[in-house]
Amino acid sequence: MGYRIAALALAVCLTAAGQGPAYSVEKLSSALKNIATDSQHKYSDAELAGFLARVKLSERLDDRTLESWQSQLGLGAKATAALRKLRDQSQSLPAAAVAAPAEAPRPIAIPSAQEQAAILEDVRKYALSYSQNLPDFICTEVERRFDALPAPGGTPSWRQLDELTKRLTYFEQKEEYQLRMRNNSVVVNQDVKSAGGAQAFGDFGSMMRGVFEPATQAAFEWDSWRTLHSERVMAFKYRVAVERSRWHIISDPDHDIIAGYHGWFDVDPATHAVMRIALVADSIPPDFPVRSASDTLDYSYQDLSGETFLLPSNAEIDMSMGNRMTRNHKEFKIYRKYSADAVITYDGDLTAVDCKDPRNKDAKECKQAAPIKH
């Protein structure tokens, strides 16, 4: 009962005192669960993020625990960002004294070499046909951009620079991005590149093709069984030599290289679909402005007009450039099957409107909607 009282009252106490007791991972887990299940008060994403911003940890928060909380408790973007900051700040602390909330999977046999080869062939077929099997759709991409100074041996202190809200149209296997909001301000008729800064595109299949196309001649290796979003997955490592790579890293118009890369991907053991893929650059020339670059993309199941598709859910892109580090966190939401009448409004409270639904025929958004031309 003590955890529940602390969870409900902590935001007020910390606001008044300016600080709070150091939380163990177990104690914070209990507090979050009690807040999420509180029937008396439905805490908003912003309220929960404000609570987490004042929490101090006594133990190291790891990725697995964070992912478990995010999937089990349905945390919003702001609360998740606050937890990631706690994770980064806690890396020099001792390991948690208790196991992560998600139960560790029971030890199971590693697939034989023949089984691994068959699995990888299935994954290759899935990856290379992924884009062709996607329907035309629209969605919202929210990108939060951060920077920090390098902290050798420590944890970078990330500072949020801005937040970009984009309308992403996937039509005939081509992506089109339109900038709709910057921070809390609506923008009109601005190309997404006008926002400047570090940006990345091509999340709907291009990363998988860069690993599994035969021309890359990627070398694959079994890594381990893992837990991703409370589900068991198979993890494989890979490497693509710079001679076979087509991955460009562009610092400015005068600095453009092709880098080799390595990484890993997580596979659903039942369907052999890719659930997460990570890419890390190597073979970067010593005189190139960008010193390191990585990209991690997560997929989750989304409903589009009664059909279920595995689509990007979030991505994180990290780069370092000498005396500066950047991090772009992208979240994909409000997926809708594409039609000229489909509308997503951008007014600080993202909503989706289907103008073909007769109930919405008088909606302001539908009266103003115009077909998108490609």
Side-chain angles (χ1 to χ4, degrees), residues 72-118:
Q72 292 178 9
L73 305 178
L75 301 178
K78 293 179 181 178
T80 300
L83 279 173
R84 288 197 178 96
K85 187 173 182 179
L86 274 175
R87 173 201 61 190
D88 293 343
Q89 293 172 340
S90 71
Q91 293 310 297
S92 61
L93 298 175
V98 295
E103 293 184 1
R106 295 187 301 274
I108 54 177
I110 296 174
S112 67
Q114 293 80 6
E115 290 171 330
Q116 291 179 34

mmCIF file of all heavy atoms in Angstrom, residues 72-118:
data_model
loop_
_atom_site.group_PDB
_atom_site.id
_atom_site.type_symbol
_atom_site.label_atom_id
_atom_site.label_comp_id
_atom_site.label_asym_id
_atom_site.label_seq_id
_atom_site.Cartn_x
_atom_site.Cartn_y
_atom_site.Cartn_z
ATOM 1 N N GLN A 72 3.642 -2.871 -21.598
ATOM 2 C CA GLN A 72 2.638 -3.349 -20.654
ATOM 3 C C GLN A 72 1.739 -2.241 -20.142
ATOM 4 O O GLN A 72 0.549 -2.458 -19.889
ATOM 5 C CB GLN A 72 3.318 -4.038 -19.465
ATOM 6 C CG GLN A 72 4.014 -5.341 -19.819
ATOM 7 C CD GLN A 72 4.712 -5.957 -18.619
ATOM 8 O OE1 GLN A 72 4.545 -5.501 -17.496
ATOM 9 N NE2 GLN A 72 5.500 -6.991 -18.851
ATOM 10 N N LEU A 73 2.272 -1.026 -19.993
ATOM 11 C CA LEU A 73 1.522 0.058 -19.378
ATOM 12 C C LEU A 73 0.961 1.047 -20.389
ATOM 13 O O LEU A 73 0.248 1.972 -20.007
ATOM 14 C CB LEU A 73 2.414 0.804 -18.366
ATOM 15 C CG LEU A 73 3.051 -0.070 -17.287
ATOM 16 C CD1 LEU A 73 3.933 0.774 -16.385
ATOM 17 C CD2 LEU A 73 1.988 -0.789 -16.475
ATOM 18 N N GLY A 74 1.287 0.874 -21.684
ATOM 19 C CA GLY A 74 0.762 1.775 -22.704
ATOM 20 C C GLY A 74 1.215 3.207 -22.511
ATOM 21 O O GLY A 74 0.425 4.149 -22.623
ATOM 22 N N LEU A 75 2.496 3.426 -22.213
ATOM 23 C CA LEU A 75 3.005 4.763 -21.934
ATOM 24 C C LEU A 75 2.993 5.629 -23.181
ATOM 25 O O LEU A 75 3.251 5.166 -24.291
ATOM 26 C CB LEU A 75 4.428 4.672 -21.386
ATOM 27 C CG LEU A 75 4.596 3.857 -20.091
ATOM 28 C CD1 LEU A 75 6.050 3.813 -19.682
ATOM 29 C CD2 LEU A 75 3.748 4.454 -18.978
ATOM 30 N N GLY A 76 2.728 6.921 -23.002
ATOM 31 C CA GLY A 76 2.730 7.870 -24.106
ATOM 32 C C GLY A 76 4.130 8.320 -24.479
ATOM 33 O O GLY A 76 5.126 7.950 -23.843
ATOM 34 N N ALA A 77 4.209 9.174 -25.492
ATOM 35 C CA ALA A 77 5.506 9.608 -26.026
ATOM 36 C C ALA A 77 6.298 10.411 -25.003
ATOM 37 O O ALA A 77 7.511 10.246 -24.867
ATOM 38 C CB ALA A 77 5.293 10.425 -27.294
ATOM 39 N N LYS A 78 5.641 11.302 -24.257
ATOM 40 C CA LYS A 78 6.357 12.152 -23.307
ATOM 41 C C LYS A 78 6.865 11.337 -22.127
ATOM 42 O O LYS A 78 7.998 11.533 -21.667
ATOM 43 C CB LYS A 78 5.447 13.283 -22.841
ATOM 44 C CG LYS A 78 5.086 14.277 -23.939
ATOM 45 C CD LYS A 78 4.163 15.366 -23.433
ATOM 46 C CE LYS A 78 3.798 16.345 -24.555
ATOM 47 N NZ LYS A 78 2.860 17.393 -24.100
ATOM 48 N N ALA A 79 6.039 10.426 -21.621
ATOM 49 C CA ALA A 79 6.478 9.575 -20.516
ATOM 50 C C ALA A 79 7.623 8.668 -20.952
ATOM 51 O O ALA A 79 8.584 8.453 -20.203
ATOM 52 C CB ALA A 79 5.308 8.749 -19.993
ATOM 53 N N THR A 80 7.538 8.138 -22.176
ATOM 54 C CA THR A 80 8.610 7.279 -22.693
ATOM 55 C C THR A 80 9.907 8.055 -22.831
ATOM 56 O O THR A 80 10.985 7.565 -22.493
ATOM 57 C CB THR A 80 8.199 6.686 -24.048
ATOM 58 O OG1 THR A 80 7.011 5.902 -23.888
ATOM 59 C CG2 THR A 80 9.305 5.805 -24.607
ATOM 60 N N ALA A 81 9.812 9.311 -23.324
ATOM 61 C CA ALA A 81 11.013 10.149 -23.448
ATOM 62 C C ALA A 81 11.627 10.419 -22.076
ATOM 63 O O ALA A 81 12.853 10.417 -21.917
ATOM 64 C CB ALA A 81 10.661 11.462 -24.146
ATOM 65 N N ALA A 82 10.783 10.638 -21.063
ATOM 66 C CA ALA A 82 11.292 10.870 -19.709
ATOM 67 C C ALA A 82 11.979 9.623 -19.163
ATOM 68 O O ALA A 82 13.009 9.715 -18.484
ATOM 69 C CB ALA A 82 10.148 11.297 -18.798
ATOM 70 N N LEU A 83 11.426 8.438 -19.464
ATOM 71 C CA LEU A 83 12.060 7.199 -19.029
ATOM 72 C C LEU A 83 13.396 6.981 -19.727
ATOM 73 O O LEU A 83 14.359 6.490 -19.120
ATOM 74 C CB LEU A 83 11.130 6.015 -19.287
ATOM 75 C CG LEU A 83 10.025 5.785 -18.252
ATOM 76 C CD1 LEU A 83 9.078 4.696 -18.714
ATOM 77 C CD2 LEU A 83 10.627 5.415 -16.894
ATOM 78 N N ARG A 84 13.459 7.332 -21.013
ATOM 79 C CA ARG A 84 14.738 7.195 -21.726
ATOM 80 C C ARG A 84 15.803 8.100 -21.102
ATOM 81 O O ARG A 84 16.976 7.728 -21.019
ATOM 82 C CB ARG A 84 14.560 7.530 -23.213
ATOM 83 C CG ARG A 84 13.805 6.472 -24.001
ATOM 84 C CD ARG A 84 14.031 6.655 -25.494
ATOM 85 N NE ARG A 84 13.345 5.609 -26.243
ATOM 86 C CZ ARG A 84 12.137 5.748 -26.776
ATOM 87 N NH1 ARG A 84 11.498 6.897 -26.662
ATOM 88 N NH2 ARG A 84 11.565 4.756 -27.431
ATOM 89 N N LYS A 85 15.383 9.286 -20.679
ATOM 90 C CA LYS A 85 16.336 10.192 -20.027
ATOM 91 C C LYS A 85 16.805 9.589 -18.707
ATOM 92 O O LYS A 85 18.000 9.642 -18.382
ATOM 93 C CB LYS A 85 15.685 11.549 -19.794
ATOM 94 C CG LYS A 85 16.650 12.601 -19.269
ATOM 95 C CD LYS A 85 15.999 13.979 -19.215
ATOM 96 C CE LYS A 85 16.992 15.032 -18.727
ATOM 97 N NZ LYS A 85 16.383 16.378 -18.679
ATOM 98 N N LEU A 86 15.876 9.011 -17.936
ATOM 99 C CA LEU A 86 16.260 8.327 -16.699
ATOM 100 C C LEU A 86 17.234 7.182 -16.983
ATOM 101 O O LEU A 86 18.206 6.984 -16.256
ATOM 102 C CB LEU A 86 15.015 7.784 -16.000
ATOM 103 C CG LEU A 86 14.256 8.717 -15.059
ATOM 104 C CD1 LEU A 86 12.996 8.037 -14.551
ATOM 105 C CD2 LEU A 86 15.126 9.165 -13.894
ATOM 106 N N ARG A 87 16.936 6.425 -18.052
ATOM 107 C CA ARG A 87 17.826 5.328 -18.435
ATOM 108 C C ARG A 87 19.233 5.844 -18.703
ATOM 109 O O ARG A 87 20.223 5.290 -18.199
ATOM 110 C CB ARG A 87 17.284 4.632 -19.680
ATOM 111 C CG ARG A 87 18.205 3.572 -20.291
ATOM 112 C CD ARG A 87 17.843 3.314 -21.735
ATOM 113 N NE ARG A 87 17.981 4.511 -22.544
ATOM 114 C CZ ARG A 87 17.553 4.620 -23.807
ATOM 115 N NH1 ARG A 87 16.948 3.600 -24.383
ATOM 116 N NH2 ARG A 87 17.721 5.741 -24.487
ATOM 117 N N ASP A 88 19.337 6.914 -19.494
ATOM 118 C CA ASP A 88 20.651 7.455 -19.843
ATOM 119 C C ASP A 88 21.381 7.966 -18.602
ATOM 120 O O ASP A 88 22.595 7.776 -18.457
ATOM 121 C CB ASP A 88 20.496 8.582 -20.859
ATOM 122 C CG ASP A 88 19.989 8.096 -22.209
ATOM 123 O OD1 ASP A 88 20.059 6.876 -22.460
ATOM 124 O OD2 ASP A 88 19.511 8.930 -23.005
ATOM 125 N N GLN A 89 20.646 8.617 -17.698
ATOM 126 C CA GLN A 89 21.266 9.194 -16.502
ATOM 127 C C GLN A 89 21.695 8.129 -15.494
ATOM 128 O O GLN A 89 22.550 8.397 -14.649
ATOM 129 C CB GLN A 89 20.287 10.160 -15.831
ATOM 130 C CG GLN A 89 19.994 11.411 -16.639
ATOM 131 C CD GLN A 89 18.887 12.250 -16.033
ATOM 132 O OE1 GLN A 89 18.087 11.760 -15.232
ATOM 133 N NE2 GLN A 89 18.823 13.518 -16.407
ATOM 134 N N SER A 90 21.119 6.929 -15.583
ATOM 135 C CA SER A 90 21.375 5.902 -14.574
ATOM 136 C C SER A 90 22.478 4.924 -14.951
ATOM 137 O O SER A 90 22.736 3.980 -14.190
ATOM 138 C CB SER A 90 20.085 5.117 -14.300
ATOM 139 O OG SER A 90 19.747 4.296 -15.411
ATOM 140 N N GLN A 91 23.126 5.121 -16.091
ATOM 141 C CA GLN A 91 24.060 4.102 -16.578
ATOM 142 C C GLN A 91 25.280 3.910 -15.686
ATOM 143 O O GLN A 91 25.912 2.853 -15.720
ATOM 144 C CB GLN A 91 24.493 4.440 -18.005
ATOM 145 C CG GLN A 91 23.367 4.347 -19.028
ATOM 146 C CD GLN A 91 22.611 3.036 -18.925
ATOM 147 O OE1 GLN A 91 23.163 1.964 -19.138
ATOM 148 N NE2 GLN A 91 21.323 3.105 -18.557
ATOM 149 N N SER A 92 25.635 4.898 -14.872
ATOM 150 C CA SER A 92 26.785 4.743 -13.976
ATOM 151 C C SER A 92 26.393 4.159 -12.621
ATOM 152 O O SER A 92 27.255 3.914 -11.783
ATOM 153 C CB SER A 92 27.450 6.106 -13.756
ATOM 154 O OG SER A 92 26.545 7.021 -13.144
ATOM 155 N N LEU A 93 25.094 3.895 -12.410
ATOM 156 C CA LEU A 93 24.617 3.352 -11.142
ATOM 157 C C LEU A 93 24.741 1.830 -11.118
ATOM 158 O O LEU A 93 24.880 1.193 -12.167
ATOM 159 C CB LEU A 93 23.153 3.756 -10.930
ATOM 160 C CG LEU A 93 22.874 5.262 -10.832
ATOM 161 C CD1 LEU A 93 21.371 5.520 -10.751
ATOM 162 C CD2 LEU A 93 23.591 5.868 -9.634
ATOM 163 N N PRO A 94 24.679 1.225 -9.942
ATOM 164 C CA PRO A 94 24.766 -0.255 -9.868
ATOM 165 C C PRO A 94 23.560 -0.912 -10.514
ATOM 166 O O PRO A 94 22.481 -0.315 -10.616
ATOM 167 C CB PRO A 94 24.817 -0.528 -8.362
ATOM 168 C CG PRO A 94 24.246 0.696 -7.721
ATOM 169 C CD PRO A 94 24.619 1.841 -8.603
ATOM 170 N N ALA A 95 23.734 -2.151 -10.933
ATOM 171 C CA ALA A 95 22.646 -2.887 -11.564
ATOM 172 C C ALA A 95 21.506 -3.089 -10.575
ATOM 173 O O ALA A 95 21.709 -3.126 -9.360
ATOM 174 C CB ALA A 95 23.150 -4.236 -12.066
ATOM 175 N N ALA A 96 20.294 -3.202 -11.117
ATOM 176 C CA ALA A 96 19.120 -3.405 -10.275
ATOM 177 C C ALA A 96 19.265 -4.689 -9.483
ATOM 178 O O ALA A 96 19.750 -5.703 -9.993
ATOM 179 C CB ALA A 96 17.855 -3.435 -11.126
ATOM 180 N N ALA A 97 18.808 -4.646 -8.244
ATOM 181 C CA ALA A 97 18.959 -5.802 -7.364
ATOM 182 C C ALA A 97 17.928 -6.880 -7.635
ATOM 183 O O ALA A 97 18.030 -7.981 -7.127
ATOM 184 C CB ALA A 97 18.854 -5.359 -5.903
ATOM 185 N N VAL A 98 16.904 -6.539 -8.457
ATOM 186 C CA VAL A 98 15.850 -7.502 -8.762
ATOM 187 C C VAL A 98 15.786 -7.697 -10.262
ATOM 188 O O VAL A 98 16.261 -6.878 -11.037
ATOM 189 C CB VAL A 98 14.481 -7.017 -8.239
ATOM 190 C CG1 VAL A 98 14.486 -6.948 -6.731
ATOM 191 C CG2 VAL A 98 14.123 -5.674 -8.844
ATOM 192 N N ALA A 99 15.164 -8.789 -10.686
ATOM 193 C CA ALA A 99 15.015 -9.065 -12.108
ATOM 194 C C ALA A 99 14.070 -8.057 -12.729
ATOM 195 O O ALA A 99 13.218 -7.474 -12.060
ATOM 196 C CB ALA A 99 14.482 -10.483 -12.308
ATOM 197 N N ALA A 100 14.229 -7.832 -14.048
ATOM 198 C CA ALA A 100 13.317 -6.961 -14.774
ATOM 199 C C ALA A 100 11.908 -7.514 -14.684
ATOM 200 O O ALA A 100 11.704 -8.728 -14.537
ATOM 201 C CB ALA A 100 13.749 -6.862 -16.240
ATOM 202 N N PRO A 101 10.871 -6.637 -14.785
ATOM 203 C CA PRO A 101 9.491 -7.099 -14.657
ATOM 204 C C PRO A 101 9.119 -8.226 -15.619
ATOM 205 O O PRO A 101 8.377 -9.120 -15.263
ATOM 206 C CB PRO A 101 8.677 -5.835 -14.949
ATOM 207 C CG PRO A 101 9.594 -4.707 -14.594
ATOM 208 C CD PRO A 101 10.963 -5.197 -14.926
ATOM 209 N N ALA A 102 9.638 -8.148 -16.832
ATOM 210 C CA ALA A 102 9.317 -9.209 -17.800
ATOM 211 C C ALA A 102 10.092 -10.473 -17.434
ATOM 212 O O ALA A 102 11.282 -10.434 -17.157
ATOM 213 C CB ALA A 102 9.682 -8.763 -19.208
ATOM 214 N N GLU A 103 9.419 -11.605 -17.383
ATOM 215 C CA GLU A 103 10.080 -12.842 -17.046
ATOM 216 C C GLU A 103 11.049 -13.251 -18.151
ATOM 217 O O GLU A 103 10.748 -13.127 -19.334
ATOM 218 C CB GLU A 103 9.049 -13.957 -16.859
ATOM 219 C CG GLU A 103 8.152 -13.751 -15.648
ATOM 220 C CD GLU A 103 7.215 -14.920 -15.446
ATOM 221 O OE1 GLU A 103 7.305 -15.880 -16.246
ATOM 222 O OE2 GLU A 103 6.398 -14.864 -14.514
ATOM 223 N N ALA A 104 12.211 -13.712 -17.736
ATOM 224 C CA ALA A 104 13.183 -14.175 -18.717
ATOM 225 C C ALA A 104 12.653 -15.424 -19.410
ATOM 226 O O ALA A 104 12.027 -16.283 -18.784
ATOM 227 C CB ALA A 104 14.509 -14.496 -18.032
ATOM 228 N N PRO A 105 12.851 -15.527 -20.710
ATOM 229 C CA PRO A 105 12.360 -16.716 -21.415
ATOM 230 C C PRO A 105 13.088 -17.974 -20.941
ATOM 231 O O PRO A 105 14.257 -17.930 -20.559
ATOM 232 C CB PRO A 105 12.703 -16.409 -22.887
ATOM 233 C CG PRO A 105 13.807 -15.411 -22.828
ATOM 234 C CD PRO A 105 13.554 -14.592 -21.606
ATOM 235 N N ARG A 106 12.362 -19.077 -20.923
ATOM 236 C CA ARG A 106 12.978 -20.346 -20.554
ATOM 237 C C ARG A 106 14.064 -20.694 -21.583
ATOM 238 O O ARG A 106 13.886 -20.473 -22.782
ATOM 239 C CB ARG A 106 11.932 -21.450 -20.516
ATOM 240 C CG ARG A 106 10.873 -21.269 -19.443
ATOM 241 C CD ARG A 106 9.976 -22.495 -19.355
ATOM 242 N NE ARG A 106 9.316 -22.754 -20.628
ATOM 243 C CZ ARG A 106 8.179 -22.185 -20.985
ATOM 244 N NH1 ARG A 106 7.586 -21.316 -20.190
ATOM 245 N NH2 ARG A 106 7.623 -22.474 -22.154
ATOM 246 N N PRO A 107 15.182 -21.235 -21.113
ATOM 247 C CA PRO A 107 16.248 -21.599 -22.054
ATOM 248 C C PRO A 107 15.726 -22.568 -23.116
ATOM 249 O O PRO A 107 15.056 -23.555 -22.811
ATOM 250 C CB PRO A 107 17.294 -22.278 -21.153
ATOM 251 C CG PRO A 107 17.020 -21.739 -19.784
ATOM 252 C CD PRO A 107 15.544 -21.539 -19.714
ATOM 253 N N ILE A 108 15.993 -22.263 -24.348
ATOM 254 C CA ILE A 108 15.578 -23.153 -25.429
ATOM 255 C C ILE A 108 16.766 -23.363 -26.354
ATOM 256 O O ILE A 108 17.726 -22.588 -26.358
ATOM 257 C CB ILE A 108 14.382 -22.586 -26.222
ATOM 258 C CG1 ILE A 108 14.686 -21.180 -26.724
ATOM 259 C CG2 ILE A 108 13.132 -22.560 -25.371
ATOM 260 C CD1 ILE A 108 13.564 -20.612 -27.576
ATOM 261 N N ALA A 109 16.685 -24.384 -27.133
ATOM 262 C CA ALA A 109 17.809 -24.782 -27.977
ATOM 263 C C ALA A 109 18.063 -23.748 -29.077
ATOM 264 O O ALA A 109 17.135 -23.140 -29.616
ATOM 265 C CB ALA A 109 17.529 -26.145 -28.591
ATOM 266 N N ILE A 110 19.325 -23.571 -29.381
ATOM 267 C CA ILE A 110 19.710 -22.724 -30.516
ATOM 268 C C ILE A 110 19.415 -23.494 -31.806
ATOM 269 O O ILE A 110 19.719 -24.686 -31.907
ATOM 270 C CB ILE A 110 21.206 -22.384 -30.435
ATOM 271 C CG1 ILE A 110 21.490 -21.540 -29.187
ATOM 272 C CG2 ILE A 110 21.669 -21.646 -31.690
ATOM 273 C CD1 ILE A 110 22.964 -21.283 -28.955
ATOM 274 N N PRO A 111 18.795 -22.860 -32.795
ATOM 275 C CA PRO A 111 18.539 -23.565 -34.062
ATOM 276 C C PRO A 111 19.833 -24.108 -34.653
ATOM 277 O O PRO A 111 20.895 -23.488 -34.551
ATOM 278 C CB PRO A 111 17.930 -22.479 -34.951
ATOM 279 C CG PRO A 111 17.385 -21.458 -33.999
ATOM 280 C CD PRO A 111 18.298 -21.474 -32.815
ATOM 281 N N SER A 112 19.740 -25.262 -35.280
ATOM 282 C CA SER A 112 20.908 -25.847 -35.943
ATOM 283 C C SER A 112 21.317 -24.986 -37.125
ATOM 284 O O SER A 112 20.584 -24.084 -37.546
ATOM 285 C CB SER A 112 20.579 -27.258 -36.430
ATOM 286 O OG SER A 112 19.607 -27.195 -37.470
ATOM 287 N N ALA A 113 22.483 -25.274 -37.680
ATOM 288 C CA ALA A 113 22.962 -24.512 -38.835
ATOM 289 C C ALA A 113 21.987 -24.615 -40.002
ATOM 290 O O ALA A 113 21.718 -23.623 -40.698
ATOM 291 C CB ALA A 113 24.344 -25.021 -39.248
ATOM 292 N N GLN A 114 21.426 -25.787 -40.215
ATOM 293 C CA GLN A 114 20.452 -25.964 -41.296
ATOM 294 C C GLN A 114 19.178 -25.179 -41.018
ATOM 295 O O GLN A 114 18.604 -24.551 -41.917
ATOM 296 C CB GLN A 114 20.121 -27.454 -41.464
ATOM 297 C CG GLN A 114 21.268 -28.311 -41.975
ATOM 298 C CD GLN A 114 22.264 -28.676 -40.870
ATOM 299 O OE1 GLN A 114 22.036 -28.385 -39.687
ATOM 300 N NE2 GLN A 114 23.347 -29.334 -41.270
ATOM 301 N N GLU A 115 18.721 -25.207 -39.762
ATOM 302 C CA GLU A 115 17.524 -24.447 -39.397
ATOM 303 C C GLU A 115 17.763 -22.950 -39.531
ATOM 304 O O GLU A 115 16.893 -22.211 -40.018
ATOM 305 C CB GLU A 115 17.112 -24.791 -37.968
ATOM 306 C CG GLU A 115 16.557 -26.195 -37.813
ATOM 307 C CD GLU A 115 16.362 -26.582 -36.364
ATOM 308 O OE1 GLU A 115 17.130 -26.080 -35.494
ATOM 309 O OE2 GLU A 115 15.460 -27.394 -36.085
ATOM 310 N N GLN A 116 18.941 -22.480 -39.121
ATOM 311 C CA GLN A 116 19.258 -21.060 -39.263
ATOM 312 C C GLN A 116 19.248 -20.639 -40.729
ATOM 313 O O GLN A 116 18.734 -19.562 -41.080
ATOM 314 C CB GLN A 116 20.619 -20.761 -38.641
ATOM 315 C CG GLN A 116 20.652 -20.867 -37.136
ATOM 316 C CD GLN A 116 22.027 -20.584 -36.572
ATOM 317 O OE1 GLN A 116 22.780 -19.759 -37.099
ATOM 318 N NE2 GLN A 116 22.386 -21.277 -35.494
ATOM 319 N N ALA A 117 19.803 -21.471 -41.593
ATOM 320 C CA ALA A 117 19.835 -21.153 -43.018
ATOM 321 C C ALA A 117 18.418 -21.050 -43.578
ATOM 322 O O ALA A 117 18.110 -20.134 -44.372
ATOM 323 C CB ALA A 117 20.631 -22.203 -43.772
ATOM 324 N N ALA A 118 17.540 -21.949 -43.162
ATOM 325 C CA ALA A 118 16.159 -21.920 -43.644
ATOM 326 C C ALA A 118 15.428 -20.687 -43.112
ATOM 327 O O ALA A 118 14.656 -20.039 -43.833
ATOM 328 C CB ALA A 118 15.432 -23.193 -43.216
#
